[in-house]
């Protein structure tokens, strides 16, 4: 078009027509792509169901295999634990597995709470679950416990997994632990206890901050006070191996 000359009506209509045609073509391609993806997911889901049927015994028996199966399910948005009754529960019994495991977790946490104040290491919890083996806890793993605990969140009873130092622990009481509390607990990771001097040396805290933290741990029965030593010692039984006995 020559410089300075405005486009005519025919040119404008042609441009609009081309734009509309491109928009329709783009929408058609998007719809075809979405449909293709749905078909792929449907095919994958069908194959996953067949895989579950073929490997049902391994999924129920082997914790590592079970964890990999959950990863496969997550990749297509399938949650076998959503309901106790349903297709996946019928295929694998996994709904019943995690329901039973959640009940056992509650039993162990409640039974050991007077000793550990509702803080127990994940490893210790798994060991306690294995002491009295049942159909659903014979081969329980840390991954199984974390999945079952995720389902307990709906109860709002304080059940959650958290990191203290380099260790995963399970908290089973609705008490909000501050950064100071978890930092103090982390000091006990190697020895099983803390003291005012240890907190002062390792965390560089002032006396008031130290005593506030220690009082909180005592009041919530997370720590046990030992006065038979040269300096008051605060034992964190929930982080000590073998301390949270359950029979």
């Amino acid at each position: 078009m020559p410089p300075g000359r405005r486009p005519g009506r025919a040119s404008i209509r042609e441009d609009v027509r081309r734009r509309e045609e491109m928009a329709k073509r783009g929408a058609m391609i998007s719809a075809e792509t979405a449909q293709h993806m749905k078909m792929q997911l449907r095919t994958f889901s069908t194959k996953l169901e067949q895989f579950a049927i073929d490997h049902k015994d391994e999924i129920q028996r082997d914790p590592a295999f079970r964890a990999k199966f959950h990863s496969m399910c997550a990749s297509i948005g399938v949650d076998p634990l959503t309901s106790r009754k349903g297709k996946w529960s019928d295929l694998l019994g996994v709904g019943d597995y995690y329901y039973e495991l959640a009940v056992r977790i509650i039993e162990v946490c409640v039974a050991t709470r007077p000793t550990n104040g509702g803080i127990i290491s994940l490893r210790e919890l798994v060991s306690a679950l294995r002491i009295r083996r049942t159909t659903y806890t014979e081969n329980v793993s840390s991954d199984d416990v974390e999945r079952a605990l995720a389902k307990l969140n709906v109860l709002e009873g304080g059940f959650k997994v958290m990191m203290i130092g380099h260790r995963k622990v399970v908290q089973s009481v609705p008490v909000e632990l501050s950064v100071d509390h978890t930092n103090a607990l982390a000091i006990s990771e190697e020895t099983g206890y803390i003291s005012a001097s240890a907190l002062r040396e390792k965390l560089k805290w002032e006396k008031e901050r130290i005593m506030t933290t220690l009082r909180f741990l005592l009041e919530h029965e997370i720590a046990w006070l030992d006065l038979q030593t040269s300096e008051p010692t605060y034992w964190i039984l929930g982080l000590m191996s073998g301390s949270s006995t359950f029979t």
Side-chain angles (χ1 to χ4, degrees), residues 8-238:
R9 292 182 179 178
S11 177
I12 293 175
R13 283 197 296 268
E14 179 62 20
D15 185 59
V16 170
R17 187 190 65 77
R18 282 199 302 267
R19 290 175 182 271
E20 290 177 346
E21 185 177 335
M22 290 177 63
K24 289 179 181 178
R25 189 174 301 173
M28 186 180 301
I29 293 174
S30 296
E32 290 176 353
T33 301
Q35 184 62 28
H36 180 64
M37 291 180 65
K38 286 182 180 179
M39 291 178 62
Q40 282 187 319
L41 286 174
R42 192 177 298 117
T43 300
F44 190 25
S45 181
T46 300
K47 291 183 177 180
L48 189 61
E49 289 179 31
Q50 187 59 49
F51 177 87
I53 294 172
D54 294 341
H55 299 275
K56 178 178 179 179
D57 291 341
E58 291 174 273
I59 292 171
Q60 292 181 333
R61 184 179 64 252
D62 187 342
F65 195 91
R66 188 162 55 245
K68 291 180 180 179
F69 173 73
H70 278 291
S71 296
M72 292 171 60
C73 290
S75 68
I76 61 169
V78 172
D79 184 1
L81 313 184
T82 300
S83 173
R84 290 187 63 206
K85 295 181 179 180
K87 177 172 61 180
W88 290 101
S89 181
D90 293 338
L91 285 175
L92 300 172
V94 290
D96 289 333
Y97 176 92
Y98 286 99
Y99 171 80
E100 173 71 13
L101 181 56
V103 171
R104 288 286 293 161
I105 289 172
I106 293 174
E107 289 178 355
V108 172
C109 288
V110 170
T112 59
R113 195 174 293 167
T115 302
N116 57 37
I119 300 291
I120 182 172
S121 73
L122 182 59
R123 179 181 298 180
E124 190 72 13
L125 176 56
V126 171
S127 297
L129 289 167
R130 289 173 175 171
I131 288 176
R132 290 178 59 185
R133 295 183 175 184
T134 68
T135 303
Y136 294 109
T137 58
E138 184 172 358
N139 296 306
V140 66
S141 68
S142 296
D143 181 77
D144 290 329
V145 171
E146 290 193 62
R147 291 183 187 280
L149 283 170
K151 299 305 172 184
L152 286 177
N153 284 340
V154 298
L155 299 180
E156 299 182 353
F159 289 89
K160 64 179 180 181
V161 178
M162 58 189 297
M163 290 295 298
I164 291 183
H166 299 91
R167 184 182 307 187
K168 283 186 176 182
V169 302
V170 175
Q171 180 181 347
S172 62
V173 288
V175 174
E176 191 65 34
L177 296 179
S178 69
V179 174
D180 279 2
H181 301 148
T182 56
N183 284 341
L185 291 172
I187 300 299
S188 72
E189 190 173 10
E190 294 183 3
T191 61
Y193 64 86
I194 53 178
S195 63
S197 62
L199 297 182
R200 184 167 53 251
E201 177 186 347
K202 296 181 181 296
L203 299 176
K204 311 302 180 186
W205 286 356
E206 298 295 332
K207 181 178 180 180
E208 182 178 353
R209 188 176 184 181
I210 291 172
M211 298 314 299
T212 297
T213 300
L214 292 176
R215 277 197 299 269
F216 176 91
L217 297 178
L218 280 177
E219 289 171 0
H220 291 85
E221 299 181 339
I222 296 172
W224 287 70
L225 180 59
D226 182 3
L227 297 175
Q228 303 300 314
T229 53
S230 57
E231 178 187 15
T233 301
Y234 300 78
W235 291 90
I236 313 299
L237 300 187

